[in-house]
Amino acid sequence: MRTIAKYDWAKIKAEYISSSISLRDLAKKYGISLSALKERSSKEHWTADRKANQTSTATKVVRKMSDRAAARIANELDKEYAIADQLADVLARALADDQQFNRHLVNTKIKTEVMDAQTVTEKQFDKIDMRAVEAAVKSLQGIETVKRRIKGILTEPEKRRDELDREKLELDKKRTDKGEADETEYGVVILPEIDPEPDDPDDDDDGGEADE
């Protein structure tokens, strides 16, 4: 009586699905007839399973790469946010001095018989240095902008602008769905042709009288 060879079909199928080996090479490797292997593969939809496995693997790889990229970006943003915090601390320490904007740099020129010299000294006056105030305000605004962008926080004008853009897109979509065309039309306006006036037979080219 003929004995039928037993094969580990689960193992063979797993190898086919998880690799790029062909059915012909797989048949040679396990000593199976190619026709039997093709029949088994067709019956159990090995090709579809391989494609599904490849898609799943590719998705996992992409997701893993995306997660790594997201983690790297988050780490970089955390560093930038920490730097922005440090800048804010520096500005806060500077503004803690209530006489900060009353100090001015004064240039003093010293002229002697030997040489001309110039010294710069810091002096305190009652007058506030408005340029320094303006620079401090711009620095604070810059730091706030950086921190908001890192955290994805929008200002009220930015939120309103986004809402208006969203409303416009929704309106355009509704008009498109209804098949409404833009009322504004552009193109070339074709004017009707004007027939030239017939020549008056009584008119002479030279404007003189006709010869008798």
Side-chain angles (χ1 to χ4, degrees):
M1 182 177 179
R2 182 184 177 188
T3 58
I4 301 176
K6 293 183 179 180
Y7 302 103
D8 190 346
W9 289 108
K11 178 182 177 181
I12 298 172
K13 179 181 179 179
E15 182 174 349
Y16 177 78
I17 291 174
S18 60
S19 67
S20 59
I21 191 171
S22 66
L23 290 175
R24 186 179 300 277
D25 292 338
L26 201 61
K28 291 180 180 179
K29 180 177 180 179
Y30 289 97
I32 310 172
S33 67
L34 182 58
S35 59
L37 193 59
K38 285 184 176 180
E39 183 180 355
R40 185 93 179 195
S41 171
S42 176
K43 182 179 180 181
E44 297 182 357
H45 310 289
W46 287 13
T47 302
D49 290 344
R50 170 185 268 186
K51 290 181 180 179
N53 180 70
Q54 290 174 343
T55 302
S56 176
T57 302
T59 301
K60 290 178 181 178
V61 170
V62 171
R63 185 181 295 115
K64 191 173 182 179
M65 293 175 63
S66 299
D67 292 342
R68 287 180 179 175
R72 184 177 66 255
I73 293 173
N75 186 44
E76 292 174 356
L77 291 178
D78 286 342
K79 291 179 181 178
E80 292 179 3
Y81 197 86
I83 293 173
D85 273 341
Q86 291 175 359
L87 292 174
D89 290 340
V90 171
L91 184 60
R93 288 198 301 270
L95 296 177
D97 183 0
D98 57 356
Q99 300 299 322
Q100 173 73 8
F101 300 114
N102 294 100
R103 295 190 182 90
H104 300 258
L105 296 177
V106 179
N107 294 325
T108 303
K109 294 183 178 180
I110 302 173
K111 187 174 184 180
T112 64
E113 295 179 356
V114 180
M115 60 178 294
D116 293 341
Q118 181 175 335
T119 61
V120 180
T121 57
E122 184 181 76
K123 294 185 179 181
Q124 186 170 319
F125 301 93
D126 291 336
K127 182 180 179 180
I128 295 177
D129 187 351
M130 295 306 298
R131 289 185 178 180
V133 173
E134 183 180 358
V137 171
K138 287 183 178 179
S139 298
L140 182 60
Q141 290 175 339
I143 293 171
E144 180 186 6
T145 300
V146 170
K147 296 176 75 171
R148 281 180 174 273
R149 287 179 179 176
I150 292 175
K151 293 297 183 181
I153 302 173
L154 300 178
T155 61
E156 288 303 321
E158 289 172 338
K159 289 180 181 178
R160 183 54 185 160
R161 187 162 56 250
D162 283 355
E163 290 176 0
L164 291 175
D165 291 341
R166 195 178 301 109
E167 290 174 1
K168 184 177 183 302
L169 287 174
E170 288 294 330
L171 181 60
D172 291 343
K173 185 176 182 301
K174 289 180 180 179
R175 293 182 62 184
T176 301
D177 293 341
K178 291 181 179 179
E180 297 179 2
D182 191 351
E183 295 179 357
T184 304
E185 295 183 358
Y186 301 91
V188 178
V189 178
I190 302 177
L191 299 177
E193 295 184 1
I194 300 177
D195 294 332
E197 295 182 358
D199 294 335
D200 190 346
D202 295 334
D203 289 343
D204 215 32
D205 290 341
D206 58 4
E209 295 181 359
D211 295 336
E212 292 180 359

